[in-house]
Amino acid sequence: MPGQIVMYLLGGIFVIAITILGTLVSEKLIRQDQVVSFEAPMNEFIQILSRELEYNAYALRSLAQLFRSSESVEEHEFESFAALLLKQYGNISALAFLPAPVKQDAINGPAINAPVYWRTRNSYIGNSPTAFLPQKTVRQLIDQAMNSEKAVASPIVKAPEGGSYYAVVLQKVAANTGMVMMVIDVSFTLERIFDNQVTQGYALFEREANQYRLAVSTVAEQPRDSLNTTSGDHQASVVFFERNWQLVTFQNREVKYQWLYIGIPLAAFVLSILIVYLIAFSARLRVANREKERNLSDLQFAQKKLVEAEKIAAMGGVVAGVAHEVNTPLGIGITCMSHLQESVLEIKRDFDNGKLDATAFEAFMISADELVSLSMKNMRRAASLLTKFKKVDVIGSDSETELELVVIADLIDSFVVRFYNDYPDSTIKLTTHIDQSITLYTYPAVILDILSYLTSNAMVHAFTADQQDCEISITFPHGRKGTTLLFKDNGAGVEKSLLKRIVDPFFTTRRGSGFAGLGLSVVYNLVSSKLNSELTIEVDNGLALSFDIKDLHK
């Protein structure tokens, strides 16, 4: 139990550590994805916007230089140069040349003179370059331009018609000469750069008096009042003719795959739990295997002891059987010899005393002959039992060690012929069903011995005295294997409860009739040790015994 608690505690720590690691990896990947998929492109877009505005400043300086280089610029010259600039820079909507203001108004500022030359793009809406600006703003812008050597820009203003946002830039050509004007389409500039799959919208703020004023917004999902310089996904500062812009962009969520990285901590959590479970399962499996090995070892030990006990019991049975079978003829022989010894002593005593006559001697000779005959008969019987008992152990026998190529049909036919020669008056009918074409390497003498023992066993135990049609059938091959020999009789059979003991040495159902019970035991040992097969015994309208005759040369 303490070991399991420690294992679960370590597993919990492992799960927490892996989950935290997965969270850190997820955050790092999300940040890298943010940089790669949005921030890096935004920085590139801001640089493009800055270059675009620098090109506009260059165009304005070029137009101013045109008027500085000549005392009088004709209208066609202005038209040609302006057309070239409008064609080169798509965000410039109008170009104009304004004369220097001559009338000064202390209250309202310089007077606004009509432009001498001006050219607009076809998409520009307005009857003058500054039609969308308030008059006060125009005067302030002219005043700033006449008093500065640098270009000055107006605030971004939305045109009344069309909905586009514009900014006006003025630059003085020379004192008392006039100024050049450029109208920049801010909406076109921003949309051309930021109209892509990366951004969902943008907002442009202008800085005035240390405060940012929302000038342009394309973010439809958020009200204009809720937008500020920190509400977007990316912020950048842009300088436009001495005016500071703050550009805020919003990332397109539809093409953002960062939510996939959220699955990393979850996957790490699930994977760590799975690893802990597998480790715990393997630990339990090792414990179960050790327990199983212990149980198997105990079982093998018990089996070993059981086999030893069965061997001892079998040995006891064999000894008892041998003692029982051999004791009777030996007892009769000993009794005969003892009686003969007494008769010899008695006839010797009569001879020594001179009392031996012909009648007594003749009686002694008759009795001695009978005793010797009976003793020899029982000695031969004991010797025969011992010989049969020796045949039970066939494993160490060196007889018939050479394999022969045998035609099974010819071998069984020779056995049938020998049977009828040995038992010419037998009422038992032998029938065979043998494939004539089968030949294989085996021990023919062993097969003949097996058939002899089986036939003798059937003659003694299978058929009763009043049975008329006694038949023994031999079939080869039998069944699906193609190498099985079936020996079957139509006799009385045996009880199924005795099938396990029927091949034990000295087991017989006719103990008192002078049978030793060794026949099937010898058959079993011959089949298993010589033919490398198994003896199968079944009760099927008699007794059916089968075994495989294998090709032992393979």
Side-chain angles (χ1 to χ4, degrees):
M1 183 63 70
Q4 291 182 351
I5 294 176
V6 172
M7 183 178 66
Y8 290 139
L9 180 60
L10 293 176
I13 295 174
F14 176 76
V15 170
I16 294 173
I18 293 299
T19 304
I20 294 175
L21 180 62
T23 303
L24 296 176
V25 171
S26 176
E27 291 178 353
K28 187 172 183 61
L29 290 176
I30 289 174
R31 177 58 187 162
Q32 290 179 350
D33 179 79
Q34 179 74 9
V35 171
V36 172
S37 63
F38 184 68
E39 293 185 8
M42 281 300 102
N43 292 330
E44 185 70 21
F45 295 153
I46 298 300
Q47 293 177 7
I48 294 174
L49 177 61
S50 298
R51 287 198 297 271
E52 188 80 13
L53 297 178
E54 290 177 1
Y55 295 154
N56 295 151
Y58 174 77
L60 185 63
R61 289 195 298 270
S62 299
L63 184 60
Q65 187 64 30
L66 174 66
F67 285 94
R68 291 191 187 111
S69 61
S70 176
E71 294 181 356
S72 175
V73 176
E74 300 294 332
E75 181 177 2
H76 69 90
E77 295 177 335
F78 172 81
E79 289 287 338
S80 299
F81 193 78
L84 180 63
L85 293 178
L86 290 175
K87 182 179 180 181
Q88 182 70 25
Y89 305 105
N91 64 331
I92 299 177
S93 296
L95 293 171
F97 174 75
L98 281 72
V102 293
K103 182 181 179 181
Q104 298 291 329
D105 188 336
I107 298 176
N108 296 323
I112 303 174
N113 297 326
V116 178
Y117 307 127
W118 75 297
R119 181 177 177 84
T120 63
R121 194 177 296 278
N122 293 334
S123 60
Y124 178 71
I125 299 175
N127 53 12
S128 71
T130 59
F132 55 87
L133 288 175
Q135 295 295 317
K136 182 178 179 180
T137 302
V138 175
R139 290 190 181 94
Q140 292 176 352
L141 190 63
I142 292 174
D143 184 55
Q144 293 175 5
M146 294 303 298
N147 295 319
S148 175
E149 298 298 327
K150 297 181 180 180
V152 295
S154 71
I156 299 174
V157 179
K158 184 178 182 180
E161 300 179 5
S164 296
Y165 290 86
Y166 295 94
V168 176
V169 184
L170 292 177
Q171 184 169 7
K172 181 176 66 174
V173 174
N176 301 322
T177 301
M179 64 194 75
V180 290
M181 175 185 292
M182 176 187 293
V183 180
I184 296 177
D185 190 341
V186 177
S187 297
F188 176 81
T189 303
L190 296 176
E191 287 175 3
R192 186 172 63 175
I193 297 175
F194 296 104
D195 186 14
N196 49 57
Q197 292 185 349
V198 178
T199 57
Q200 190 180 29
Y202 57 86
L204 186 65
F205 295 85
E206 279 192 309
R207 186 174 182 180
E208 296 178 347
N210 294 328
Q211 293 184 351
Y212 284 100
R213 176 185 65 87
L214 179 62
V216 182
S217 174
T218 61
V219 184
E221 292 143 357
Q222 296 188 28
R224 291 177 62 91
D225 298 338
S226 65
L227 295 174
N228 54 59
T229 56
T230 61
S231 60
D233 296 312
H234 188 268
Q235 299 83 28
S237 297
V238 181
V239 178
F240 174 72
F241 294 103
E242 302 300 323
R243 298 186 70 87
N244 292 324
W245 292 354
Q246 186 73 12
L247 183 64
V248 178
T249 56
F250 296 82
Q251 188 171 358
N252 188 359
R253 306 295 175 179
E254 294 181 358
V255 295
K256 188 175 180 181
Y257 299 103
Q258 293 179 355
W259 62 271
L260 294 175
Y261 299 119
I262 300 176
I264 294 178
L266 180 61
F269 176 75
V270 174
L271 182 61
S272 60
I273 289 181
L274 180 61
I275 292 174
V276 170
Y277 171 76
L278 292 177
I279 293 175
F281 179 76
S282 63
R284 290 197 300 268
L285 189 61
R286 285 195 298 269
V287 173
N289 285 336
R290 286 196 296 266
E291 186 68 23
K292 184 178 179 181
E293 289 175 357
R294 245 189 336 266
N295 293 336
L296 181 60
S297 178
D298 294 341
L299 180 61
Q300 290 175 345
F301 178 77
Q303 287 178 340
K304 182 178 179 181
K305 293 299 182 183
L306 182 60
V307 169
E308 291 178 355
E310 289 181 350
K311 287 182 178 180
I312 293 173
M315 184 61 67
V318 170
V319 172
V322 172
H324 182 273
E325 295 296 332
V326 177
N327 186 60
T328 299
L330 287 180
I332 295 174
I334 292 173
T335 302
C336 291
M337 289 299 101
S338 298
H339 186 66
L340 179 60
Q341 185 180 23
E342 292 177 359
S343 297
V344 169
L345 291 175
E346 184 179 351
I347 200 66
K348 183 178 181 299
R349 188 171 52 252
D350 289 343
F351 176 77
D352 291 340
N353 294 330
K355 295 180 180 181
L356 182 61
D357 56 7
T359 303
F361 183 75
E362 183 181 0
F364 167 75
M365 292 299 294
I366 294 173
S367 176
D369 182 62
E370 291 177 354
L371 290 173
V372 170
S373 298
L374 184 58
S375 178
M376 290 299 296
K377 178 181 179 181
N378 283 276
M379 290 301 103
R380 291 190 184 96
R381 181 182 175 190
S384 176
L385 289 173
L386 291 176
T387 301
K388 290 181 179 179
F389 180 67
K390 285 177 62 178
K391 291 185 178 180
V392 175
D393 182 18
V394 297
I395 299 177
S397 177
D398 294 331
S399 62
E400 307 298 339
T401 56
E402 295 295 330
L403 293 174
E404 296 183 22
L405 183 61
V406 179
V407 179
I408 301 300
D410 295 343
L411 183 64
I412 295 178
D413 288 342
S414 66
F415 167 75
V416 173
V417 172
R418 190 176 71 178
F419 171 77
Y420 284 121
N421 290 333
D422 293 341
Y423 304 98
D425 298 330
S426 176
T427 59
I428 298 175
K429 180 182 179 181
L430 283 180
T431 59
T432 58
H433 307 280
I434 311 298
D435 189 339
Q436 302 292 325
S437 62
I438 296 179
T439 60
L440 43 80
Y441 283 91
T442 186
Y443 298 111
V446 172
I447 295 176
L448 291 176
D449 286 345
I450 291 173
L451 294 177
S452 297
Y453 280 113
L454 292 178
T455 304
S456 299
N457 186 75
M459 293 174 64
V460 173
H461 299 283
F463 306 114
T464 59
D466 56 348
Q467 186 171 346
Q468 298 298 324
D469 51 344
C470 302
E471 183 178 354
I472 296 175
S473 63
I474 303 174
T475 304
F476 182 84
H478 173 74
R480 297 181 179 179
K481 286 187 177 181
T483 59
T484 302
L485 185 143
L486 175 65
F487 185 95
K488 185 178 183 303
D489 62 62
N490 63 345
V494 297
E495 297 179 7
K496 291 185 178 180
S497 60
L498 301 177
L499 289 179
K500 293 183 179 180
R501 300 176 53 198
I502 199 170
V503 295
D504 292 344
F506 299 103
F507 176 79
T508 179
T509 57
R510 301 181 64 181
R511 175 75 60 189
S513 300
F515 299 101
L518 296 174
L520 290 184
S521 178
V522 174
V523 170
Y524 177 81
N525 287 338
L526 288 173
V527 169
S528 60
S529 63
K530 291 297 184 180
L531 300 185
N532 296 330
S533 182
E534 294 182 0
L535 182 65
T536 303
I537 304 175
E538 297 177 348
V539 178
D540 182 17
N541 294 326
L543 195 64
L545 302 95
S546 60
F547 58 91
D548 289 342
I549 303 179
K550 301 177 182 178
D551 192 338
L552 301 178
H553 190 67
K554 294 181 180 180

